[in-house]
Amino acid sequence: MSLYRTGLVALSLVVSTALLSACSDSQATSEAPKPATQTTAQQASVDAMNLRVYKSPTCGCCVDWIDHVEDAGFHSVTHHPDNLTQLKLDMGLQGQYHSCHTAVSEQGYLFEGHVPAKLMQDFLEQPPADALGLAVPGMPMGSPGMEVDDRFSPYQVLLVKKDGSYEVYATIEEQADQY
């Protein structure tokens, strides 16, 4: 997809849109394991850690991010929708927050892009009022799933609210801060 076809003004949105276009296709690929016997509290804890991840079947950084969150205790089921961008919009996530993949918790919270697992865990323990979820727009170098040697660009994790507004949830100044 030509970056000029996106019609977006901001360079970061152009890059994100181009990457999203490259990362959209169809079909589900894996099932999350469910423990057989648990108390209600244990099941609630496990459900909080289950994610549906929507991504392209060809996007390698998404696979690396999934490995990151699974190493932190999350369980994921991966889906490859025909129109990933439209799915994000249908879930209420405006274009300026988009990245290459979207994870959805059992409670319906969205985790867009390369959000560190530790911040997802913190968020799920005490979700802020009126929260849609967390987002890392674009694909910051060195974020979970985007690691390349020791290259790193500081980035912000945004708290996206149901009304479309946002506030900064966390600022990651150094790569070690996200683990």
Side-chain angles (χ1 to χ4, degrees):
M1 174 177 173
S2 167
L3 294 177
Y4 296 106
R5 273 188 27 204
T6 64
L8 298 174
V9 177
L11 180 58
S12 64
L13 291 178
V14 172
V15 172
S16 295
T17 302
L19 292 169
L20 285 170
S21 176
C23 291
S24 333
D25 278 319
S26 62
Q27 301 179 23
T29 59
S30 63
E31 292 297 322
K34 290 262 186 189
T37 58
Q38 298 174 335
T39 67
T40 304
Q42 288 171 322
Q43 184 60 45
S45 176
V46 169
D47 287 346
M49 301 298 279
N50 287 329
L51 300 172
R52 293 181 315 276
V53 180
Y54 300 92
K55 63 176 255 347
S56 164
T58 60
C59 190
C61 69
C62 297
V63 172
D64 293 343
W65 180 83
I66 291 169
D67 289 343
H68 164 75
V69 297
E70 288 184 345
D71 288 347
F74 286 90
H75 305 281
S76 66
V77 177
T78 304
H79 301 272
H80 302 121
D82 289 330
N83 189 335
L84 186 58
T85 300
Q86 188 60 53
L87 178 76
K88 293 168 189 274
L89 294 170
D90 291 347
M91 289 189 282
L93 192 65
Q94 298 175 14
Q96 68 263 32
Y97 305 120
H98 289 189
S99 182
C100 57
H101 59 268
T102 303
V104 182
S105 72
E106 291 289 326
Q107 302 84 354
Y109 293 110
L110 306 182
F111 299 101
E112 177 66 15
H114 296 269
V115 178
K118 78 175 196 173
L119 294 179
M120 294 168 56
Q121 291 165 336
D122 292 345
F123 175 93
L124 288 170
E125 285 176 15
Q126 291 191 309
D130 298 320
L132 183 62
L134 299 178
V136 174
M139 301 170 70
M141 181 62 66
S143 60
M146 289 295 297
E147 295 96 342
V148 178
D149 301 321
D150 61 352
R151 290 188 265 173
F152 179 77
S153 296
Y155 63 96
Q156 293 181 326
V157 178
L158 306 179
L159 169 63
V160 180
K161 298 181 181 179
K162 291 177 183 175
D163 67 2
S165 65
Y166 77 92
E167 61 187 59
V168 175
Y169 185 79
T171 299
I172 308 297
E173 295 289 343
E174 297 183 26
Q175 194 166 21
D177 294 343
Q178 61 195 356
Y179 301 113

PDB file of all heavy atoms in Angstrom, residues 20-54:
ATOM      1  N   LEU A  20      -0.713  -1.481   9.261  1.00  0.00           N
ATOM      2  CA  LEU A  20      -1.987  -2.165   9.494  1.00  0.00           C
ATOM      3  C   LEU A  20      -2.485  -2.808   8.219  1.00  0.00           C
ATOM      4  O   LEU A  20      -2.999  -3.916   8.239  1.00  0.00           O
ATOM      5  CB  LEU A  20      -3.027  -1.189  10.029  1.00  0.00           C
ATOM      6  CG  LEU A  20      -2.845  -0.798  11.478  1.00  0.00           C
ATOM      7  CD1 LEU A  20      -3.780   0.344  11.827  1.00  0.00           C
ATOM      8  CD2 LEU A  20      -3.087  -1.978  12.374  1.00  0.00           C
ATOM      9  N   SER A  21      -2.348  -2.116   7.106  1.00  0.00           N
ATOM     10  CA  SER A  21      -2.788  -2.673   5.835  1.00  0.00           C
ATOM     11  C   SER A  21      -1.992  -3.921   5.502  1.00  0.00           C
ATOM     12  O   SER A  21      -2.530  -4.905   5.018  1.00  0.00           O
ATOM     13  CB  SER A  21      -2.622  -1.630   4.732  1.00  0.00           C
ATOM     14  OG  SER A  21      -2.965  -2.184   3.490  1.00  0.00           O
ATOM     15  N   ALA A  22      -0.707  -3.907   5.803  1.00  0.00           N
ATOM     16  CA  ALA A  22       0.141  -5.068   5.553  1.00  0.00           C
ATOM     17  C   ALA A  22      -0.159  -6.193   6.524  1.00  0.00           C
ATOM     18  O   ALA A  22       0.160  -7.341   6.275  1.00  0.00           O
ATOM     19  CB  ALA A  22       1.615  -4.676   5.656  1.00  0.00           C
ATOM     20  N   CYS A  23      -0.793  -5.862   7.635  1.00  0.00           N
ATOM     21  CA  CYS A  23      -1.072  -6.832   8.693  1.00  0.00           C
ATOM     22  C   CYS A  23      -2.552  -7.154   8.804  1.00  0.00           C
ATOM     23  O   CYS A  23      -3.084  -7.229   9.893  1.00  0.00           O
ATOM     24  CB  CYS A  23      -0.559  -6.292  10.033  1.00  0.00           C
ATOM     25  SG  CYS A  23       1.211  -6.221  10.164  1.00  0.00           S
ATOM     26  N   SER A  24      -3.306  -7.353   7.700  1.00  0.00           N
ATOM     27  CA  SER A  24      -4.725  -7.695   7.813  1.00  0.00           C
ATOM     28  C   SER A  24      -5.054  -8.877   6.909  1.00  0.00           C
ATOM     29  O   SER A  24      -4.806  -8.801   5.741  1.00  0.00           O
ATOM     30  CB  SER A  24      -5.625  -6.549   7.400  1.00  0.00           C
ATOM     31  OG  SER A  24      -5.064  -5.332   7.574  1.00  0.00           O
ATOM     32  N   ASP A  25      -5.626  -9.925   7.490  1.00  0.00           N
ATOM     33  CA  ASP A  25      -6.131 -11.053   6.721  1.00  0.00           C
ATOM     34  C   ASP A  25      -7.171 -11.821   7.502  1.00  0.00           C
ATOM     35  O   ASP A  25      -7.821 -11.281   8.357  1.00  0.00           O
ATOM     36  CB  ASP A  25      -4.998 -11.971   6.242  1.00  0.00           C
ATOM     37  CG  ASP A  25      -4.324 -11.445   4.984  1.00  0.00           C
ATOM     38  OD1 ASP A  25      -5.029 -10.954   4.096  1.00  0.00           O
ATOM     39  OD2 ASP A  25      -3.091 -11.511   4.908  1.00  0.00           O
ATOM     40  N   SER A  26      -7.330 -13.161   7.225  1.00  0.00           N
ATOM     41  CA  SER A  26      -8.444 -13.884   7.833  1.00  0.00           C
ATOM     42  C   SER A  26      -8.033 -15.160   8.539  1.00  0.00           C
ATOM     43  O   SER A  26      -6.935 -15.651   8.348  1.00  0.00           O
ATOM     44  CB  SER A  26      -9.468 -14.213   6.749  1.00  0.00           C
ATOM     45  OG  SER A  26      -8.878 -15.045   5.793  1.00  0.00           O
ATOM     46  N   GLN A  27      -8.970 -15.724   9.344  1.00  0.00           N
ATOM     47  CA  GLN A  27      -8.950 -17.022  10.012  1.00  0.00           C
ATOM     48  C   GLN A  27      -8.330 -17.018  11.397  1.00  0.00           C
ATOM     49  O   GLN A  27      -7.330 -16.383  11.648  1.00  0.00           O
ATOM     50  CB  GLN A  27      -8.232 -18.076   9.169  1.00  0.00           C
ATOM     51  CG  GLN A  27      -8.882 -18.267   7.797  1.00  0.00           C
ATOM     52  CD  GLN A  27      -8.138 -19.295   7.010  1.00  0.00           C
ATOM     53  OE1 GLN A  27      -7.452 -20.124   7.581  1.00  0.00           O
ATOM     54  NE2 GLN A  27      -8.254 -19.246   5.712  1.00  0.00           N
ATOM     55  N   ALA A  28      -8.927 -17.823  12.285  1.00  0.00           N
ATOM     56  CA  ALA A  28      -8.398 -18.043  13.628  1.00  0.00           C
ATOM     57  C   ALA A  28      -7.373 -19.161  13.577  1.00  0.00           C
ATOM     58  O   ALA A  28      -7.482 -20.056  12.756  1.00  0.00           O
ATOM     59  CB  ALA A  28      -9.529 -18.411  14.581  1.00  0.00           C
ATOM     60  N   THR A  29      -6.380 -19.128  14.495  1.00  0.00           N
ATOM     61  CA  THR A  29      -5.326 -20.128  14.412  1.00  0.00           C
ATOM     62  C   THR A  29      -5.113 -20.961  15.652  1.00  0.00           C
ATOM     63  O   THR A  29      -4.598 -22.055  15.554  1.00  0.00           O
ATOM     64  CB  THR A  29      -3.978 -19.452  14.071  1.00  0.00           C
ATOM     65  OG1 THR A  29      -3.677 -18.502  15.075  1.00  0.00           O
ATOM     66  CG2 THR A  29      -4.029 -18.807  12.715  1.00  0.00           C
ATOM     67  N   SER A  30      -5.418 -20.481  16.850  1.00  0.00           N
ATOM     68  CA  SER A  30      -5.099 -21.275  18.026  1.00  0.00           C
ATOM     69  C   SER A  30      -6.140 -21.096  19.111  1.00  0.00           C
ATOM     70  O   SER A  30      -6.855 -20.116  19.130  1.00  0.00           O
ATOM     71  CB  SER A  30      -3.714 -20.904  18.560  1.00  0.00           C
ATOM     72  OG  SER A  30      -3.711 -19.568  18.971  1.00  0.00           O
ATOM     73  N   GLU A  31      -6.213 -22.041  20.008  1.00  0.00           N
ATOM     74  CA  GLU A  31      -7.154 -21.991  21.109  1.00  0.00           C
ATOM     75  C   GLU A  31      -6.400 -21.847  22.416  1.00  0.00           C
ATOM     76  O   GLU A  31      -5.367 -22.467  22.618  1.00  0.00           O
ATOM     77  CB  GLU A  31      -7.987 -23.272  21.151  1.00  0.00           C
ATOM     78  CG  GLU A  31      -8.941 -23.407  19.979  1.00  0.00           C
ATOM     79  CD  GLU A  31      -9.982 -22.305  19.935  1.00  0.00           C
ATOM     80  OE1 GLU A  31     -10.474 -21.898  21.003  1.00  0.00           O
ATOM     81  OE2 GLU A  31     -10.291 -21.846  18.832  1.00  0.00           O
ATOM     82  N   ALA A  32      -6.932 -21.049  23.325  1.00  0.00           N
ATOM     83  CA  ALA A  32      -6.318 -20.879  24.641  1.00  0.00           C
ATOM     84  C   ALA A  32      -6.750 -22.025  25.539  1.00  0.00           C
ATOM     85  O   ALA A  32      -7.910 -22.409  25.550  1.00  0.00           O
ATOM     86  CB  ALA A  32      -6.750 -19.557  25.258  1.00  0.00           C
ATOM     87  N   PRO A  33      -5.803 -22.603  26.284  1.00  0.00           N
ATOM     88  CA  PRO A  33      -6.172 -23.679  27.198  1.00  0.00           C
ATOM     89  C   PRO A  33      -6.974 -23.133  28.367  1.00  0.00           C
ATOM     90  O   PRO A  33      -6.724 -22.039  28.845  1.00  0.00           O
ATOM     91  CB  PRO A  33      -4.815 -24.224  27.668  1.00  0.00           C
ATOM     92  CG  PRO A  33      -3.871 -23.085  27.479  1.00  0.00           C
ATOM     93  CD  PRO A  33      -4.390 -22.299  26.302  1.00  0.00           C
ATOM     94  N   LYS A  34      -7.974 -23.883  28.805  1.00  0.00           N
ATOM     95  CA  LYS A  34      -8.775 -23.529  29.985  1.00  0.00           C
ATOM     96  C   LYS A  34      -8.532 -24.593  31.041  1.00  0.00           C
ATOM     97  O   LYS A  34      -8.690 -25.772  30.772  1.00  0.00           O
ATOM     98  CB  LYS A  34     -10.270 -23.494  29.640  1.00  0.00           C
ATOM     99  CG  LYS A  34     -10.660 -22.353  28.760  1.00  0.00           C
ATOM    100  CD  LYS A  34     -11.218 -21.249  29.591  1.00  0.00           C
ATOM    101  CE  LYS A  34     -11.739 -20.159  28.677  1.00  0.00           C
ATOM    102  NZ  LYS A  34     -12.109 -18.994  29.342  1.00  0.00           N
ATOM    103  N   PRO A  35      -8.120 -24.211  32.241  1.00  0.00           N
ATOM    104  CA  PRO A  35      -7.944 -25.178  33.310  1.00  0.00           C
ATOM    105  C   PRO A  35      -9.260 -25.899  33.607  1.00  0.00           C
ATOM    106  O   PRO A  35     -10.338 -25.315  33.518  1.00  0.00           O
ATOM    107  CB  PRO A  35      -7.506 -24.323  34.503  1.00  0.00           C
ATOM    108  CG  PRO A  35      -6.927 -23.091  33.880  1.00  0.00           C
ATOM    109  CD  PRO A  35      -7.701 -22.881  32.612  1.00  0.00           C
ATOM    110  N   ALA A  36      -9.180 -27.173  33.986  1.00  0.00           N
ATOM    111  CA  ALA A  36     -10.359 -28.011  34.152  1.00  0.00           C
ATOM    112  C   ALA A  36     -11.160 -27.695  35.411  1.00  0.00           C
ATOM    113  O   ALA A  36     -12.370 -27.546  35.348  1.00  0.00           O
ATOM    114  CB  ALA A  36      -9.950 -29.475  34.149  1.00  0.00           C
ATOM    115  N   THR A  37     -10.521 -27.631  36.569  1.00  0.00           N
ATOM    116  CA  THR A  37     -11.260 -27.394  37.806  1.00  0.00           C
ATOM    117  C   THR A  37     -10.663 -26.212  38.541  1.00  0.00           C
ATOM    118  O   THR A  37      -9.463 -26.143  38.766  1.00  0.00           O
ATOM    119  CB  THR A  37     -11.207 -28.632  38.722  1.00  0.00           C
ATOM    120  OG1 THR A  37      -9.847 -28.935  38.986  1.00  0.00           O
ATOM    121  CG2 THR A  37     -11.879 -29.824  38.066  1.00  0.00           C
ATOM    122  N   GLN A  38     -11.550 -25.249  38.907  1.00  0.00           N
ATOM    123  CA  GLN A  38     -11.089 -24.050  39.586  1.00  0.00           C
ATOM    124  C   GLN A  38     -12.214 -23.480  40.438  1.00  0.00           C
ATOM    125  O   GLN A  38     -13.393 -23.691  40.145  1.00  0.00           O
ATOM    126  CB  GLN A  38     -10.692 -22.970  38.575  1.00  0.00           C
ATOM    127  CG  GLN A  38      -9.558 -23.396  37.688  1.00  0.00           C
ATOM    128  CD  GLN A  38      -9.296 -22.360  36.628  1.00  0.00           C
ATOM    129  OE1 GLN A  38     -10.162 -21.594  36.265  1.00  0.00           O
ATOM    130  NE2 GLN A  38      -8.083 -22.338  36.146  1.00  0.00           N
ATOM    131  N   THR A  39     -11.833 -22.728  41.451  1.00  0.00           N
ATOM    132  CA  THR A  39     -12.822 -21.985  42.215  1.00  0.00           C
ATOM    133  C   THR A  39     -13.255 -20.779  41.385  1.00  0.00           C
ATOM    134  O   THR A  39     -12.616 -20.442  40.378  1.00  0.00           O
ATOM    135  CB  THR A  39     -12.230 -21.482  43.544  1.00  0.00           C
ATOM    136  OG1 THR A  39     -11.228 -20.507  43.258  1.00  0.00           O
ATOM    137  CG2 THR A  39     -11.664 -22.621  44.372  1.00  0.00           C
ATOM    138  N   THR A  40     -14.310 -20.108  41.795  1.00  0.00           N
ATOM    139  CA  THR A  40     -14.777 -18.919  41.089  1.00  0.00           C
ATOM    140  C   THR A  40     -13.700 -17.843  41.061  1.00  0.00           C
ATOM    141  O   THR A  40     -13.468 -17.222  40.030  1.00  0.00           O
ATOM    142  CB  THR A  40     -16.056 -18.374  41.747  1.00  0.00           C
ATOM    143  OG1 THR A  40     -17.022 -19.419  41.784  1.00  0.00           O
ATOM    144  CG2 THR A  40     -16.605 -17.195  40.985  1.00  0.00           C
ATOM    145  N   ALA A  41     -13.010 -17.620  42.167  1.00  0.00           N
ATOM    146  CA  ALA A  41     -11.944 -16.605  42.221  1.00  0.00           C
ATOM    147  C   ALA A  41     -10.791 -16.984  41.297  1.00  0.00           C
ATOM    148  O   ALA A  41     -10.251 -16.134  40.594  1.00  0.00           O
ATOM    149  CB  ALA A  41     -11.440 -16.432  43.649  1.00  0.00           C
ATOM    150  N   GLN A  42     -10.424 -18.268  41.295  1.00  0.00           N
ATOM    151  CA  GLN A  42      -9.349 -18.705  40.407  1.00  0.00           C
ATOM    152  C   GLN A  42      -9.763 -18.524  38.953  1.00  0.00           C
ATOM    153  O   GLN A  42      -8.964 -18.087  38.127  1.00  0.00           O
ATOM    154  CB  GLN A  42      -8.997 -20.171  40.667  1.00  0.00           C
ATOM    155  CG  GLN A  42      -8.266 -20.429  41.958  1.00  0.00           C
ATOM    156  CD  GLN A  42      -8.142 -21.921  42.240  1.00  0.00           C
ATOM    157  OE1 GLN A  42      -9.047 -22.695  41.972  1.00  0.00           O
ATOM    158  NE2 GLN A  42      -7.005 -22.299  42.793  1.00  0.00           N
ATOM    159  N   GLN A  43     -11.014 -18.866  38.622  1.00  0.00           N
ATOM    160  CA  GLN A  43     -11.475 -18.723  37.237  1.00  0.00           C
ATOM    161  C   GLN A  43     -11.479 -17.256  36.829  1.00  0.00           C
ATOM    162  O   GLN A  43     -11.088 -16.921  35.723  1.00  0.00           O
ATOM    163  CB  GLN A  43     -12.869 -19.326  37.046  1.00  0.00           C
ATOM    164  CG  GLN A  43     -13.340 -19.293  35.597  1.00  0.00           C
ATOM    165  CD  GLN A  43     -12.435 -20.067  34.659  1.00  0.00           C
ATOM    166  OE1 GLN A  43     -12.029 -21.185  34.955  1.00  0.00           O
ATOM    167  NE2 GLN A  43     -12.095 -19.474  33.534  1.00  0.00           N
ATOM    168  N   ALA A  44     -11.896 -16.362  37.718  1.00  0.00           N
ATOM    169  CA  ALA A  44     -11.894 -14.933  37.407  1.00  0.00           C
ATOM    170  C   ALA A  44     -10.482 -14.448  37.122  1.00  0.00           C
ATOM    171  O   ALA A  44     -10.257 -13.655  36.209  1.00  0.00           O
ATOM    172  CB  ALA A  44     -12.509 -14.135  38.552  1.00  0.00           C
ATOM    173  N   SER A  45      -9.508 -14.944  37.895  1.00  0.00           N
ATOM    174  CA  SER A  45      -8.118 -14.566  37.690  1.00  0.00           C
ATOM    175  C   SER A  45      -7.613 -15.072  36.337  1.00  0.00           C
ATOM    176  O   SER A  45      -6.940 -14.353  35.608  1.00  0.00           O
ATOM    177  CB  SER A  45      -7.254 -15.121  38.816  1.00  0.00           C
ATOM    178  OG  SER A  45      -5.905 -14.834  38.582  1.00  0.00           O
ATOM    179  N   VAL A  46      -7.959 -16.318  36.001  1.00  0.00           N
ATOM    180  CA  VAL A  46      -7.547 -16.880  34.711  1.00  0.00           C
ATOM    181  C   VAL A  46      -8.214 -16.120  33.575  1.00  0.00           C
ATOM    182  O   VAL A  46      -7.573 -15.786  32.576  1.00  0.00           O
ATOM    183  CB  VAL A  46      -7.890 -18.387  34.642  1.00  0.00           C
ATOM    184  CG1 VAL A  46      -7.726 -18.921  33.234  1.00  0.00           C
ATOM    185  CG2 VAL A  46      -7.000 -19.165  35.599  1.00  0.00           C
ATOM    186  N   ASP A  47      -9.518 -15.823  33.714  1.00  0.00           N
ATOM    187  CA  ASP A  47     -10.213 -15.086  32.666  1.00  0.00           C
ATOM    188  C   ASP A  47      -9.569 -13.733  32.425  1.00  0.00           C
ATOM    189  O   ASP A  47      -9.503 -13.270  31.296  1.00  0.00           O
ATOM    190  CB  ASP A  47     -11.684 -14.890  33.029  1.00  0.00           C
ATOM    191  CG  ASP A  47     -12.493 -16.181  32.899  1.00  0.00           C
ATOM    192  OD1 ASP A  47     -11.985 -17.142  32.294  1.00  0.00           O
ATOM    193  OD2 ASP A  47     -13.623 -16.211  33.420  1.00  0.00           O
ATOM    194  N   ALA A  48      -9.096 -13.083  33.488  1.00  0.00           N
ATOM    195  CA  ALA A  48      -8.452 -11.781  33.347  1.00  0.00           C
ATOM    196  C   ALA A  48      -7.189 -11.900  32.506  1.00  0.00           C
ATOM    197  O   ALA A  48      -6.764 -10.926  31.897  1.00  0.00           O
ATOM    198  CB  ALA A  48      -8.114 -11.197  34.713  1.00  0.00           C
ATOM    199  N   MET A  49      -6.612 -13.072  32.454  1.00  0.00           N
ATOM    200  CA  MET A  49      -5.362 -13.270  31.736  1.00  0.00           C
ATOM    201  C   MET A  49      -5.569 -13.832  30.321  1.00  0.00           C
ATOM    202  O   MET A  49      -4.619 -14.035  29.595  1.00  0.00           O
ATOM    203  CB  MET A  49      -4.450 -14.206  32.530  1.00  0.00           C
ATOM    204  CG  MET A  49      -4.111 -13.683  33.925  1.00  0.00           C
ATOM    205  SD  MET A  49      -3.216 -12.127  33.925  1.00  0.00           S
ATOM    206  CE  MET A  49      -1.568 -12.716  33.625  1.00  0.00           C
ATOM    207  N   ASN A  50      -6.815 -14.108  29.932  1.00  0.00           N
ATOM    208  CA  ASN A  50      -7.098 -14.614  28.587  1.00  0.00           C
ATOM    209  C   ASN A  50      -7.263 -13.457  27.625  1.00  0.00           C
ATOM    210  O   ASN A  50      -7.940 -12.473  27.931  1.00  0.00           O
ATOM    211  CB  ASN A  50      -8.363 -15.478  28.586  1.00  0.00           C
ATOM    212  CG  ASN A  50      -8.139 -16.823  29.227  1.00  0.00           C
ATOM    213  OD1 ASN A  50      -7.048 -17.371  29.182  1.00  0.00           O
ATOM    214  ND2 ASN A  50      -9.178 -17.359  29.837  1.00  0.00           N
ATOM    215  N   LEU A  51      -6.657 -13.574  26.452  1.00  0.00           N
ATOM    216  CA  LEU A  51      -6.714 -12.528  25.437  1.00  0.00           C
ATOM    217  C   LEU A  51      -7.114 -13.119  24.091  1.00  0.00           C
ATOM    218  O   LEU A  51      -6.662 -14.212  23.728  1.00  0.00           O
ATOM    219  CB  LEU A  51      -5.349 -11.869  25.264  1.00  0.00           C
ATOM    220  CG  LEU A  51      -4.715 -11.183  26.458  1.00  0.00           C
ATOM    221  CD1 LEU A  51      -3.285 -10.776  26.121  1.00  0.00           C
ATOM    222  CD2 LEU A  51      -5.534  -9.968  26.877  1.00  0.00           C
ATOM    223  N   ARG A  52      -7.928 -12.373  23.367  1.00  0.00           N
ATOM    224  CA  ARG A  52      -8.150 -12.645  21.949  1.00  0.00           C
ATOM    225  C   ARG A  52      -7.268 -11.638  21.215  1.00  0.00           C
ATOM    226  O   ARG A  52      -7.392 -10.429  21.436  1.00  0.00           O
ATOM    227  CB  ARG A  52      -9.617 -12.446  21.577  1.00  0.00           C
ATOM    228  CG  ARG A  52     -10.549 -13.458  22.222  1.00  0.00           C
ATOM    229  CD  ARG A  52     -12.022 -13.265  21.829  1.00  0.00           C
ATOM    230  NE  ARG A  52     -12.519 -11.904  21.865  1.00  0.00           N
ATOM    231  CZ  ARG A  52     -12.968 -11.294  22.966  1.00  0.00           C
ATOM    232  NH1 ARG A  52     -12.979 -11.914  24.129  1.00  0.00           N
ATOM    233  NH2 ARG A  52     -13.422 -10.049  22.903  1.00  0.00           N
ATOM    234  N   VAL A  53      -6.379 -12.126  20.372  1.00  0.00           N
ATOM    235  CA  VAL A  53      -5.453 -11.242  19.659  1.00  0.00           C
ATOM    236  C   VAL A  53      -5.809 -11.254  18.175  1.00  0.00           C
ATOM    237  O   VAL A  53      -5.894 -12.311  17.553  1.00  0.00           O
ATOM    238  CB  VAL A  53      -3.979 -11.682  19.850  1.00  0.00           C
ATOM    239  CG1 VAL A  53      -3.039 -10.740  19.101  1.00  0.00           C
ATOM    240  CG2 VAL A  53      -3.619 -11.742  21.332  1.00  0.00           C
ATOM    241  N   TYR A  54      -6.016 -10.060  17.630  1.00  0.00           N
ATOM    242  CA  TYR A  54      -6.355  -9.883  16.221  1.00  0.00           C
ATOM    243  C   TYR A  54      -5.140  -9.306  15.508  1.00  0.00           C
ATOM    244  O   TYR A  54      -4.629  -8.254  15.888  1.00  0.00           O
ATOM    245  CB  TYR A  54      -7.568  -8.949  16.090  1.00  0.00           C
ATOM    246  CG  TYR A  54      -8.776  -9.513  16.793  1.00  0.00           C
ATOM    247  CD1 TYR A  54      -9.051  -9.179  18.113  1.00  0.00           C
ATOM    248  CD2 TYR A  54      -9.622 -10.404  16.140  1.00  0.00           C
ATOM    249  CE1 TYR A  54     -10.153  -9.717  18.776  1.00  0.00           C
ATOM    250  CE2 TYR A  54     -10.721 -10.949  16.787  1.00  0.00           C
ATOM    251  CZ  TYR A  54     -10.978 -10.598  18.107  1.00  0.00           C
ATOM    252  OH  TYR A  54     -12.056 -11.134  18.758  1.00  0.00           O
TER     253      TYR A  54
END
